[in-house]
Amino acid sequence: MTTFDDREQAFEAKFAHDEEMQFNAQARCNKLLGLWAAEKMGKSGTQAEDYAKTVVTADIEEADHEDVVRKLTADLQGNVTSEEIRKKRAVLLPEAKAQVLSEAG
């Protein structure tokens, strides 16, 4: 194998790793958002964890996070606006990334 081939494989491996980390961070963010919403609904413990899982799985409908925003807006029944959910998600995403990175290292 040539040096070019080695570099190409290294770049491909790094890209795959970065994509996996991004996916994991998004899923973690959705879980944290789900736990936040569960608290707003008065859920705790196992109920909150189970609800957070439904939020994580809701994210597979579309490429962006709007499917999660719609789910939470509907589930919170007007107690929290879509904009508040988006702002909370923006706050939670860096925390989720930090958690995923600390677990990977």
Side-chain angles (χ1 to χ4, degrees):
M1 230 182 238
T2 67
T3 302
F4 180 75
D5 291 336
D6 292 342
R7 285 183 62 186
E8 183 179 17
Q9 283 185 340
F11 282 125
E12 288 173 0
K14 182 182 181 331
F15 178 79
H17 177 265
D18 291 349
E19 287 294 307
E20 180 181 0
M21 295 298 282
Q22 183 68 18
F23 174 83
N24 291 338
Q26 295 289 337
R28 178 68 55 89
C29 181
N30 289 334
K31 179 181 178 183
L32 295 173
L33 197 58
L35 291 172
W36 169 79
E39 183 180 325
K40 296 270 186 203
M41 291 185 272
K43 298 180 184 207
S44 61
T46 305
Q47 281 185 325
E49 287 290 330
D50 290 344
Y51 179 76
K53 288 177 187 174
T54 68
V55 174
V56 172
T57 58
D59 194 29
I60 60 174
E61 293 176 19
E62 295 177 14
D64 63 6
H65 59 272
E66 285 302 308
D67 42 359
V68 171
V69 172
R70 277 193 303 279
K71 175 183 178 31
L72 293 176
T73 302
D75 291 352
L76 290 167
Q77 302 173 1
N79 294 324
V80 178
T81 66
S82 297
E83 190 57 34
E84 289 172 305
I85 294 167
R86 287 184 194 96
K87 286 179 182 178
K88 186 64 176 178
R89 186 180 187 287
V91 169
L92 291 173
L93 187 56
E95 180 182 334
K97 286 181 180 180
Q99 286 179 9
V100 169
L101 286 174
S102 70
E103 292 170 2

